[in-house]
Each structure stands twice: as C-alpha cells, then as structure tokens.
Amino acid sequence: MIWSVKGRRAPFRVRNDSQRCHVRLDRLEALESRQLLTTTSYTFVAPDLSTLEHQANPTAAMFNRLVGSLQAQIVLGPLNDLKAIGGATTQKINGNQYVAAVANMVQGFEAAATQQEPSNQKLDSLVQLQGVALDAQTVALNAKRNDGLESDTPAPGTTSAFYNDNLTTVEHLTLSRPLWPYGTPILDYINRTELFQTDLATAVSSIPKLGIAAAANLAQIEAASFTADINLSTPQRPGLNTFMNQQVGTLLTQINAAAQSGPSGAAAFAAAVNSFKEATYDSTTGAGFLGPQGAYGRYFVQPTTADQVPKTTTPLSYSTGNTFALGRYKAKQLQKTAIYHRNFGDASNEYGKYVTTALFPNSAVAIRKSALDQTFQPPNSAFYVEDVKVPAGHYVFAGRVGPIYQGVLTPRNTLYPGLGSQVVLDNSRAPDIVFENQRTTGT
C-alpha cells in the first residue's frame, strides 16, 4: 500500500443518523432474501475510553482503541470460527452466520462510542462510517460466495479464498487499512476504484450464469461497499465524495434500467460499467476524475501504467505496482548478472519477489525502510538477509518503497516511512535465481 498525500484540514461533516440507518437496513434486507441466519453469540465488549480524555488528540486515540478492539474481537471470535483448513478442520459457522455476527458486533462497536462519549460527534461519525463500511464489505464478500464467485472450499493445508478475503478486510481496520478518514492518498482512491471496476466486470461476465437480475443485485451490493469506503475516507474531501456518489448513483440507475430489459439488457449493463470507468478512472486513456487528465487527478503524481513498461514483459499488477512510492517504478531487462538482497524472518518469507539493493544495518531499519507491515501474519521480522543472484535476461522492476500511511485525524508516516530501495523480480522461484549467503541482518 502507498501513502503520500497529506489531507487538508476542513470542518468535519456529521452524517445524518437516519441516512446511516437507511444504509444499514438496505444491506440487511438484501441478506434476508438469502436466508440470513441470525446469531446473538457474538457481542462487542467496549474498551474503556475514559483514560484517553486528556490525550493530545483524544478523538484519534479513541477511534484507534475502538477499531483495534473491534479487530481483535472479530479475529478471536467469528473470524476464528469461520476459519477452516482443508483436510484438517471445518468451520463452526457459515458465511451467512459470519455476516450476522459481524453486524451484531458492529452495532456494539457503534453503541460504545455513543454511550461513552455522547458529546463527541466527531468520534461518533467516524465510528458510524467505519461500521457501515465493514458491514458492507462483509455483505459483498458473502454475496459473491452465495453466487458461486467466491470459493469457500479450502484446498488441502490452506484456508479458503472467502476466509482470506474476510481476514484482509478485518486486518484493514487498523494499521493495514488502505483508506483512512483523513489524509488518504490519491493512489488508494485509484486502487479502490479499480477494485470496484473489477467487481463490476465480474458482475457483467456473470450475466450468462446468474441472469441479469442477479448480476444487477451483485453490482448494487458491491456499489454499497464502494460507496461506504468512499464516505469513510472523504470527510475532508467533499468534492471527491459528491462526485463519486453521483457516479455510483448514475451507474446503478443505468444498471437497473438494463436489468428491466431482461437478457437483452446485457449490452446496456456493460455500457453502464464502461461509462463509470471512463468517468472515474481509466488508466489506459488517462480519462476520468482521478486520472491524469481528470479535474482531480491531474494535480497528483500518477502510478506507472501498462504502456510505460517494455512490451516484451508483463506489467506488474496494480496491487504489486502500488507497493512502490506513488505507484511509480521502472522496468528493465538485465544485461548482466545482478546481486540484490532479501530480508526475511523465517522460511515462510525467505523466497519472495521483493528484494533491495540496500544492505540495512539492522532489522529495525530494514522494517522501516522497506515498510514491512508487522500486522500481517506471519510478520516479516527481517532478522535475516540473503544475497539474491539474478542472471541476465530476467526483468526487474525498480523504484522506492511506498510509505505506509497511518493517520486517523493527523497524517503521519512514522512507523513505516519506506522510501528504501525496492526491486520486484519477474519470478523469484526461477531455477536460475540463486538465494545464498544467509546471515543475520547487519552482518
């Protein structure tokens, strides 16, 4: 993930409670048609916020504690019960029950802010926005599972795609979050918009299998998740918020009209999705509000696009490309053998594609300069370093590590500032690439 642009201070806008409740009810009504199984066995235990009253930034501290507590309780509770390892363990709850459990915990999470800090409207609004976003993403993943587009069957020795995606969603509640209430860099708006476009493309391609009505329903659910994420991350950017909500509204109006036409509306459905892409972000043409030609995006550095790398190699996926600062990198084919370095913690992350030209003096510096997020499991402690010998002919993608933005109300990149050297290998497991000379970092 890349974090760079500092947010501008602006008055905080408190969203109307009736609007929030309407969004929540819409999501639950969509689930009822899928025979949602309710559960009351998972409740949120509110942390004590009174000790944070005299912090320099009490609202930020309270929000951090609340979402951190919510993350921990979901991981230890319903997410743990959803987990299954192929060939070893089975789930204790299914996808529908997991959605209901998260919704129940989110209600407690929202109530905690109101009950403990009834006069803090800023905190209450942040918490409500976070609750809606988490609910909507959980519902969207479960909708894809119900439609057969998200696998809930783990392969032997692994967890399922459905579990993994829900785990990532929960991890993104705290330090690993891509979208923050304040200061989210443009690159992460681009990322989220492209992910939504991918979800819409999946809905289009699923029309023959699901039927146009079900595909339209899926698009609506994904749109609710996207809108909730945009609302969460734009309290200081009302223009961006308004534009994106308007575009989603237009998109859904067009999709609903296409669905009313039955099977013959498939082309109109696809055209609506393409129009949304052209209006918001199109990396190929540069069009769209967030793009280099757009009213918003033209003021920001744009990530590297596919037509900016050699035609003889495959461009990096945007998830990989955006680990570079500002999403910018250069691709080249090696003309002679190159020696890079790989920092790792144990055998689980020894042979990765991310290497560096730098030799760090110790693990702590390696973690900071390489932005090795320690919240992911298993974390890369960078305790060891190896030399990586890459022969001529391989393609490498080089740039600077993107800092991990960590801010709720105040922008900061203090924990993972990044900006160290980063090189991505085209295939780290190629037989002619040699990992050798293992030693502790700094020796």
Side-chain angles (χ1 to χ4, degrees):
M1 299 296 176
I2 313 303
W3 325 104
S4 57
V5 182
K6 291 185 177 182
R8 297 168 296 164
R9 302 298 294 176
F12 191 90
R13 297 178 298 121
V14 179
R15 193 168 64 171
N16 182 284
D17 273 347
S18 63
Q19 181 181 358
R20 175 185 63 79
C21 293
H22 177 66
V23 172
R24 174 71 37 75
L25 288 173
D26 281 350
R27 302 283 61 76
L28 294 182
E29 287 168 2
L31 286 171
E32 287 171 358
S33 65
R34 299 178 182 278
Q35 298 180 328
L36 170 66
L37 301 179
T38 59
T39 178
T40 57
S41 59
Y42 302 97
T43 56
F44 179 72
V45 179
D48 182 13
L49 303 181
S50 62
T51 59
L52 306 177
E53 291 283 357
H54 302 293
Q55 294 271 337
N57 195 339
T59 298
M62 291 174 187
F63 183 77
N64 278 332
R65 180 168 292 183
L66 281 167
V67 295
S69 182
L70 179 64
Q71 181 186 63
Q73 291 182 51
I74 291 176
V75 168
L76 295 174
L79 188 62
N80 183 61
D81 290 343
L82 182 70
K83 184 177 182 179
I85 300 176
T89 60
T90 57
Q91 297 172 336
K92 294 181 181 178
I93 60 175
N94 61 31
N96 287 347
Q97 290 170 317
Y98 176 75
V99 170
V102 170
N104 198 52
M105 296 188 75
V106 164
Q107 284 188 330
F109 162 75
E110 294 173 337
T114 303
Q115 291 169 359
Q116 294 194 44
E117 293 291 319
S119 62
N120 192 336
Q121 289 187 320
K122 186 181 292 184
L123 175 66
D124 182 64
S125 185
L126 286 172
V127 167
Q128 302 295 332
L129 289 169
Q130 177 62 81
V132 171
L134 177 58
D135 271 348
Q137 179 61 16
T138 305
V139 168
L141 289 172
N142 194 50
K144 288 195 286 190
R145 181 191 69 86
N146 283 328
D147 287 337
L149 304 175
E150 182 92 358
S151 175
D152 196 23
T153 304
T158 68
T159 50
S160 69
F162 178 66
Y163 170 82
N164 294 339
D165 286 344
N166 276 292
L167 173 62
T168 299
T169 296
V170 175
E171 286 176 334
H172 283 173
L173 285 174
T174 54
L175 296 181
S176 301
R177 68 166 65 234
L179 300 171
W180 288 90
Y182 289 79
T184 296
I186 187 175
L187 186 59
D188 294 288
Y189 292 119
I190 290 174
N191 291 352
R192 185 62 181 93
T193 302
E194 288 193 304
L195 287 173
F196 180 42
Q197 291 171 0
T198 299
D199 291 331
L200 291 172
T202 298
V204 171
S205 64
S206 300
I207 291 175
K209 174 185 176 182
L210 302 177
I212 195 168
N217 183 64
L218 180 61
Q220 290 171 341
I221 292 173
E222 294 289 5
S225 178
F226 174 72
T227 300
D229 280 344
I230 293 298
N231 290 341
L232 170 65
S233 59
T234 53
Q236 286 185 318
R237 292 170 171 167
L240 178 59
N241 180 282
T242 299
F243 178 84
M244 285 299 190
N245 276 277
Q246 287 174 341
Q247 294 305 313
V248 171
T250 300
L251 169 73
L252 294 182
T253 297
Q254 293 173 343
I255 286 178
N256 289 337
Q260 295 299 317
S261 301
S264 64
F269 193 126
V273 171
N274 189 61
S275 294
F276 177 82
K277 179 178 180 179
E278 292 176 345
T280 56
Y281 182 75
D282 188 333
S283 62
T284 303
T285 65
F289 193 64
L290 298 175
Q293 299 175 17
Y296 190 84
R298 64 186 177 185
Y299 297 107
F300 301 90
V301 176
Q302 291 282 325
T304 299
T305 56
D307 61 353
Q308 295 173 329
V309 302
K311 302 298 183 183
T312 50
T313 188
T314 302
L316 295 175
S317 66
Y318 63 77
S319 61
T320 300
N322 291 340
T323 62
F324 289 96
L326 303 175
R328 302 295 305 175
Y329 60 88
K330 293 183 178 180
K332 68 176 182 178
Q333 187 175 29
L334 294 177
Q335 301 302 309
K336 61 180 181 180
T337 298
I339 305 295
Y340 301 109
H341 311 288
R342 168 74 182 174
N343 293 94
F344 62 99
D346 55 45
S348 68
N349 48 44
E350 180 177 0
Y351 301 104
K353 63 184 178 181
Y354 296 95
V355 296
T356 178
T357 60
L359 282 171
F360 299 109
N362 53 58
S363 298
V365 173
I367 288 171
R368 285 171 53 79
K369 291 290 188 180
S370 299
L372 302 177
D373 191 338
Q374 298 296 291
T375 63
F376 286 112
Q377 297 299 319
N380 183 350
S381 66
F383 186 78
Y384 301 103
V385 64
E386 277 188 335
D387 298 329
V388 185
K389 185 183 294 184
V390 185
H394 280 276
Y395 280 92
V396 295
F397 306 83
R400 294 288 175 180
V401 178
I404 297 180
Y405 177 85
Q406 294 171 292
V408 178
L409 304 179
T410 305
R412 61 188 188 275
N413 300 316
T414 56
L415 188 57
Y416 303 112
L419 300 182
S421 159
Q422 176 169 283
V423 177
V424 174
L425 306 179
D426 56 0
N427 180 9
S428 63
R429 303 314 294 265
D432 58 345
I433 293 181
V434 179
F435 289 74
E436 60 185 5
N437 192 21
Q438 179 179 333
R439 58 203 183 275
T440 56
T441 297
T443 61

